[in-house]
Amino acid sequence: MTESKKPEMPPFMKSISEALPSSFDVLHVPLTLDDAHVHLLYMKTVVDGLTLQQSIIKPFYELDDERKFGAYIQGLPNRLDPPQPDELLIMLTSGFVLVYADSTYSILEIRKLGNTLQGPTISETTIHGPQLSLSEDLETNVSIVRQHYHQPNLYVETHQLNDKSNMSIALLYDEKEVNVDVLRRVKEKLDGLDEPLIQSAGELAVRLTSRRFTLFPTSILTERPDRIVYNLTGGKIILLVDNSPYAIVLPVIFFDFMVSMEENYHTYVISLYNTLLGWFGLLNCLLLPSLYVAFTAYSPEVLSSELTLTMAGSRIGVPYPSFIEVIIMLFFVELLTEASVRLPRSINAAATTVGGLILGTAATEASLASNVLIMIIAIVAISTFVIPMNELGFAVRIVRLLIILFTTLFGLIGLISGLLLLIVHLTNMDSFGEPYLRIGWRGKRSEKMVNSE
Amino acid sequence: MSRFLYFLIFTNMMAIITTPIPRILLVQSADGAIGSMIIGTLAGVLFTYITVKFFAQFPGMDLIDLLQTYTSSWVRIPITIYFTIFWFIAGLITLVMTVFLLITFLTPEMSIYIITLSILITVFFGVLLKSKSVLFTLEIVFILMIPVGLLMFFKLYSAPEVEWDQARLAIMHINQVPKYGSIVATIFVFLGCSNLIIFNRYFKEKQKVSLLSLGAITLFGVVMLVTSYFIPIGLSGFDRIGQLIFPWTSSADAVRMKFGLIERVVFIFMFIFVTIAFVSIIIHWHISYKLILSIFRLKALQVKQQNFTPFLVVTVFLLIGLWITALLTQYELYQYTRYYYYTIPLFIAVFFLTMMAIKRGASK
């Protein structure tokens, strides 16, 4: 078809087309058969070409009549009336097709779906639970949740972020269980977002918290469909973000971070044991380095005399006070942990093992650190990974440094003081109006709303 | 009754180890202490009953609201100031005693200012919390302490070092005339429920005082009194117990855990009691701070939407605490604390009169 034969574009479509940038993927396709004329305007890269061919172009040539084709378009389930031009432009960039047929405009959603593949779970692996995580496509994710949770009271509301990405997000909740106050607060926050660019669920979660300098996360990021459903039944709100394989769970309490989904798939005693292990890991991770500082530098008399002598003997030759020792070794282990995350899968095991082993042995042989401390640091490093949620692990790693600081300054009483300060800080926090740290007793109906996890 | 009310009452009972109360009782062990404890317990339980009953009539309202609604300001302001001082001193005694305990047993070479500061940093943030968060903190700490507490009671009551004959010897002195000082000190153990004057705001459902809950309170109080009175006597002997400055802690140091990581169990005990003392100071000063803020708020400290009066008040609390801790000697602390406990009947009288005034205002 040559340029001269191309039929004239209808005026509204022309104005829209002029507003679009002249990039290679903006297509205006006129379809002509005898005296039937239909115009399509879309962006090639976001529209699914095959579906377009099947559902628009092929029927046009088969029906052979503009009126009939117009009626056919009117009857399509993915058809919408065209909105205001501004909104229409955004819709075109996200995979809608503007159709002019039988002198009416329609807009059809023929979106090329993003990454609909469900990858294996990475950050929250379990042995017995579902092995697949969310995909990177919003609709697929909503459908995954729906397939896990067959309830008519599961509400899905879609929003569009008003930043540069114009990303769609979906708000999922069980209408019977949800806390209405929290829902209102979350919607207010979403409407009040004032960020130039939000690209992922993690970023959105950070932007949703009101305080700027926070250490502990006030929402959970999860990739597991079973955790999403588990939280939905507990009356929580799930935010799904397009192009992100993570969902945001709101509001959370501190104890939610200590739940591994694995615990639901075992017998009571086994899961209790696992829970206790998790808590023990958390305490280890928080307290062991500070206890070492307190016991070697301030109050060796607290421990039994044999243990004190062992520790003192192990520290023979170490040329600096124990808190410097602890901070140096902790810093190295943090580096190792960080390196093992960044390195490619194939070599990270080797790198960390070699790094850890050699560093530990060499440090004790050079008497720059005591053997006892190397053991403590190793235990702490392992304990960090026992904490079920990754985000809490990060927060704990930082809090640990603060508690070491308190202990260095004030000794054993500083350790108690620092720990209490942590508790005070956590009870003072709230997640979308719900107290962050408090004990929810399962039996009481009045407290069940947010705490069923 | 709400579980938080139990926590408030029990915390006050457990915090007596870090006040001079055990010493006050033990000094008079041959002089009517047991009789005083019995009378004090009865009076304390009665006080608890009346107070909880009274506040149950006004669910969701604290004393500040009640005074503002039902009394005139010339009643309100003196009462608020009196209660502010009363609660502040209660926290102060715990603070000073805890610091003395720590400097004697845990870190004798550290400066007293540093030890006090290490406590006050956390107390500063604790006092500034929302009242609700104070309750949550209290609950978490209390629950964390339960396993350690059970270990403590088990160790203390099963220790072969405790000579129960000495305790029986002490019981022989039950026929002595009770003394005023010991009675009021015992009543203080049961004053925990008066913390309702602020925390009643969060008890929105009507509290029911059943016989069972009163029984639980009595039982816990008696166990704490027995632990703080008879255990030192059993460990250190009846005759010279009055001469110890820290009778409870010094005596408990006799108990050993042969196979434990921590051999001297007294450190585990101190861990519990110091933590409880922290929370107790936070609760007392929080109430004091709330009361004082209800009658005074400086306009000069208003910066944009934030008023800095709370920070000023708590800073003043901390400075007084630091100053008094450095100023007092062990002997003075003991003496002044006794005088403080002597005023408890006055406090109870004012408390009941306030209640009556509020009830009269409410019935109008």
Side-chain angles (χ1 to χ4, degrees):
Chain A
M1 195 183 288
T2 54
E3 200 62 36
S4 58
K5 276 189 180 171
K6 198 169 183 173
E8 191 62 21
M9 220 195 291
F12 175 68
M13 192 179 265
K14 193 163 186 161
S15 69
I16 293 291
S17 160
E18 274 158 10
L20 282 171
S22 58
S23 68
F24 76 98
D25 58 349
V26 178
L27 285 191
H28 165 235
V29 179
L31 305 173
T32 316
L33 186 69
D34 302 332
D35 38 331
H37 298 289
V38 166
H39 294 267
L40 306 178
L41 182 69
Y42 63 96
M43 290 178 105
K44 187 172 73 172
T45 39
V46 285
V47 164
D48 188 358
L50 196 66
T51 318
L52 184 71
Q53 168 75 23
Q54 290 288 333
S55 62
I56 311 284
I57 299 175
K58 214 169 149 199
F60 173 74
Y61 290 109
E62 283 169 0
L63 285 172
D64 185 17
D65 175 22
E66 193 175 332
R67 209 174 48 79
K68 275 187 191 163
F69 181 72
Y72 166 74
I73 292 288
Q74 293 288 328
L76 283 177
N78 51 354
R79 180 199 170 273
L80 295 170
D81 281 325
Q84 293 301 310
D86 301 346
E87 216 173 307
L88 179 61
L89 283 174
I90 293 173
M91 287 170 103
L92 284 177
T93 56
S94 67
F96 282 79
V97 178
L98 182 65
V99 181
Y100 176 76
D102 196 19
S103 32
T104 41
Y105 288 97
S106 306
I107 183 149
L108 301 172
E109 186 185 357
I110 309 180
R111 193 200 304 237
K112 187 190 268 178
L113 292 180
N115 187 1
T116 56
L117 226 62
Q118 282 181 271
T121 50
I122 300 167
S123 60
E124 305 157 62
T125 47
T126 59
I127 301 172
H128 291 178
Q131 300 297 320
L132 292 179
S133 62
L134 292 175
S135 76
E136 294 200 355
D137 180 69
L138 183 64
E139 275 180 34
T140 317
N141 287 347
V142 173
S143 101
I144 292 171
V145 175
R146 280 244 189 243
Q147 276 164 22
H148 275 76
Y149 193 62
H150 300 280
Q151 284 292 327
N153 22 347
L154 173 62
Y155 274 44
V156 182
E157 289 178 21
T158 49
H159 273 252
Q160 202 160 47
L161 295 179
N162 35 8
D163 64 335
K164 281 184 183 149
S165 71
N166 277 313
M167 204 105 79
S168 351
I169 52 175
L171 201 72
L172 280 75
Y173 54 88
D174 189 320
E175 191 257 340
K176 271 191 190 159
E177 306 279 339
V178 76
N179 184 337
V180 191
D181 284 341
V182 176
L183 186 64
R184 184 177 46 76
R185 245 176 249 129
V186 171
K187 281 183 182 165
E188 275 169 17
K189 280 267 167 60
L190 277 177
D191 291 336
L193 272 184
D194 186 24
E195 283 295 320
L197 183 61
I198 291 176
Q199 300 217 58
S200 70
E203 208 175 346
L204 181 65
V206 172
R207 302 295 176 225
L208 279 178
T209 52
S210 45
R211 293 191 194 181
R212 192 179 167 84
F213 298 103
T214 48
L215 180 57
F216 286 90
T218 47
S219 52
I220 290 183
L221 277 184
T222 182
E223 55 172 6
R224 300 190 60 85
D226 54 344
R227 190 185 281 274
I228 292 177
V229 172
Y230 184 58
N231 281 301
L232 274 177
T233 54
K236 304 207 177 179
I237 300 165
I238 314 290
L239 280 176
L240 290 170
V241 181
D242 204 3
N243 301 326
S244 174
Y246 283 92
I248 307 172
V249 180
L250 322 158
V252 291
I253 57 170
F254 183 78
F255 295 96
D256 293 347
F257 288 97
M258 294 306 292
V259 175
S260 158
M261 286 315 289
E262 188 80 55
E263 286 158 20
N264 295 357
Y265 308 127
H266 284 292
T267 57
Y268 179 77
V269 177
I270 295 173
S271 60
L272 181 72
Y273 181 69
N274 277 349
T275 314
L276 288 180
L277 267 187
W279 282 98
F280 185 65
L282 178 76
L283 285 183
N284 262 347
C285 185
L286 267 179
L287 297 182
L288 267 188
S290 315
L291 281 175
Y292 179 78
V293 173
F295 286 143
T296 51
Y298 280 91
S299 316
E301 75 274 13
V302 172
L303 293 177
S304 63
S305 30
E306 292 87 350
L307 190 56
T308 310
L309 288 176
T310 310
M311 279 171 65
S314 165
R315 283 201 79 237
I316 289 174
V318 178
Y320 34 63
S322 57
F323 74 93
I324 295 183
E325 195 185 350
V326 166
I327 286 172
I328 290 177
M329 290 314 291
L330 258 188
F331 182 63
F332 281 139
V333 166
E334 297 282 280
L335 284 182
L336 268 178
T337 317
E338 208 47 33
S340 67
V341 176
R342 306 274 166 249
L343 277 176
R345 273 277 160 93
S346 47
I347 51 169
N348 72 3
T352 45
T353 316
V354 169
L357 282 179
I358 293 182
L359 208 86
T361 322
T364 45
E365 275 178 10
S367 44
L368 293 178
S370 70
N371 276 316
V372 176
L373 180 68
I374 298 289
M375 231 188 88
I376 287 178
I377 294 292
I379 295 173
V380 165
I382 296 166
S383 303
T384 317
F385 301 110
V386 178
I387 301 171
M389 296 302 288
N390 205 7
E391 296 156 287
L392 184 67
F394 277 109
V396 164
R397 272 157 69 182
I398 295 167
V399 169
R400 181 166 71 201
L401 293 178
L402 294 179
I403 292 186
I404 291 177
L405 178 75
F406 256 75
T407 315
T408 310
L409 291 175
F410 304 123
L412 207 51
I413 184 69
L415 178 62
I416 300 176
S417 190
L419 205 59
L420 276 175
L421 193 60
L422 174 67
I423 294 177
V424 162
H425 173 66
L426 288 177
T427 48
N428 192 29
M429 278 175 69
D430 65 291
S431 164
F432 299 88
E434 293 298 317
Y436 193 62
L437 180 64
R438 67 154 187 195
I439 296 176
W441 301 97
R442 292 191 178 212
K444 295 216 168 156
R445 184 76 192 95
S446 58
E447 285 175 351
K448 225 181 167 184
M449 296 300 277
V450 218
N451 304 336
S452 38
E453 227 184 40
Chain B
M1 269 163 60
S2 163
R3 62 176 193 275
F4 289 110
L5 190 49
Y6 285 112
F7 294 145
L8 284 172
I9 294 172
F10 290 173
T11 305
N12 204 58
M13 287 170 176
M14 288 187 77
I16 59 167
I17 302 287
T18 47
T19 61
I21 291 177
R23 188 168 171 218
I24 291 174
L25 292 175
L26 286 166
V27 164
Q28 294 184 323
S29 55
D31 214 10
I34 296 182
S36 314
M37 285 199 287
I38 293 170
I39 295 176
T41 306
L42 292 176
V45 173
L46 188 67
F47 175 79
T48 307
Y49 178 74
I50 295 172
T51 310
V52 179
K53 266 274 185 215
F54 169 75
F55 279 103
Q57 295 165 359
F58 304 98
M61 287 177 87
D62 56 14
L63 189 78
I64 300 169
D65 294 340
L66 290 172
L67 283 173
Q68 269 168 358
T69 325
Y70 299 124
T71 59
S72 54
S73 66
W74 61 267
V75 176
R76 179 171 71 92
I77 290 172
I79 286 176
T80 314
I81 291 175
Y82 174 64
F83 282 172
T84 306
I85 295 170
F86 190 83
W87 257 274
F88 178 73
I89 295 178
L92 193 63
I93 290 171
T94 316
L95 172 72
V96 179
M97 183 72 182
T98 311
V99 171
F100 285 172
L101 206 66
L102 288 171
I103 206 167
T104 316
F105 285 93
L106 199 64
T107 45
E109 73 279 12
M110 251 162 92
S111 148
I112 195 163
Y113 291 103
I114 301 235
I115 298 180
T116 317
L117 212 63
S118 67
I119 297 178
L120 289 182
I121 289 177
T122 298
V123 168
F124 178 79
F125 292 104
V127 171
L128 282 173
L129 284 178
K130 295 177 288 251
S131 302
K132 213 176 180 177
S133 303
V134 172
L135 286 179
F136 291 149
T137 310
L138 168 67
E139 179 178 27
I140 300 246
V141 170
F142 201 87
I143 294 207
L144 283 179
M145 288 303 126
I146 284 177
V148 198
L150 287 179
L151 171 75
M152 179 190 82
F153 283 119
F154 173 73
K155 271 319 278 187
L156 280 180
Y157 286 97
S158 69
E161 290 91 348
V162 181
E163 288 281 347
W164 290 105
D165 279 346
Q166 296 289 337
R168 287 184 198 113
L169 196 63
I171 296 177
M172 296 299 289
H173 292 264
I174 196 166
N175 56 350
Q176 303 287 334
V177 182
K179 289 287 178 325
Y180 179 71
S182 311
I183 296 176
V184 287
T186 315
I187 292 178
F188 185 82
V189 177
F190 290 88
L191 283 191
C193 62
S194 60
N195 291 332
L196 270 178
I197 62 170
I198 291 299
F199 292 112
N200 197 47
R201 175 181 288 266
Y202 297 101
F203 299 136
K204 295 222 166 87
E205 277 161 40
K206 209 168 157 90
Q207 312 274 342
K208 285 195 202 84
V209 202
S210 65
L211 219 57
L212 196 70
S213 50
L214 272 187
I217 291 167
T218 319
L219 184 71
F220 198 87
V222 168
V223 167
M224 274 323 290
L225 280 173
V226 166
T227 310
S228 59
Y229 182 78
F230 287 107
I231 292 287
I233 288 180
L235 286 165
S236 300
F238 179 71
D239 293 336
R240 295 275 179 270
I241 188 71
Q243 296 177 354
L244 289 175
I245 292 176
F246 296 101
W248 201 87
T249 321
S250 306
S251 305
D253 205 1
V255 181
R256 298 279 147 150
M257 194 155 61
K258 213 172 175 187
F259 303 108
L261 286 180
I262 296 175
E263 196 184 348
R264 289 163 69 187
V265 197
V266 71
F267 291 115
I268 299 180
F269 303 164
M270 275 178 70
F271 170 64
I272 305 177
F273 290 121
V274 167
T275 316
I276 293 287
F278 264 99
V279 182
S280 175
I281 299 169
I282 290 177
I283 292 172
H284 285 145
W285 282 12
H286 179 79
I287 288 175
S288 189
Y289 144 87
K290 281 276 172 189
L291 287 171
I292 192 88
L293 275 191
S294 75
I295 52 171
F296 126 111
R297 198 171 262 273
L298 287 178
K299 288 226 169 60
L301 289 171
Q302 188 83 26
V303 181
K304 287 174 189 164
Q305 283 168 10
Q306 181 92 8
N307 193 313
F308 285 92
T309 322
F311 296 96
L312 176 79
V313 168
V314 180
T315 312
V316 169
F317 279 15
L318 299 197
L319 289 178
I320 296 177
L322 201 61
W323 177 56
I324 297 280
T325 313
L327 188 76
L328 285 186
T329 62
Q330 183 63 51
Y331 178 75
E332 284 165 343
L333 171 70
Y334 174 66
Q335 287 300 329
Y336 295 151
T337 310
R338 273 177 51 197
Y339 297 145
Y340 171 74
Y341 291 143
Y342 285 163
T343 68
I344 282 178
L346 173 68
F347 164 75
I348 293 177
V350 174
F351 201 80
F352 284 165
L353 283 176
T354 316
M355 283 187 198
M356 276 158 68
I358 289 170
K359 274 198 102 167
R360 241 185 51 193
S363 61
K364 262 179 198 169

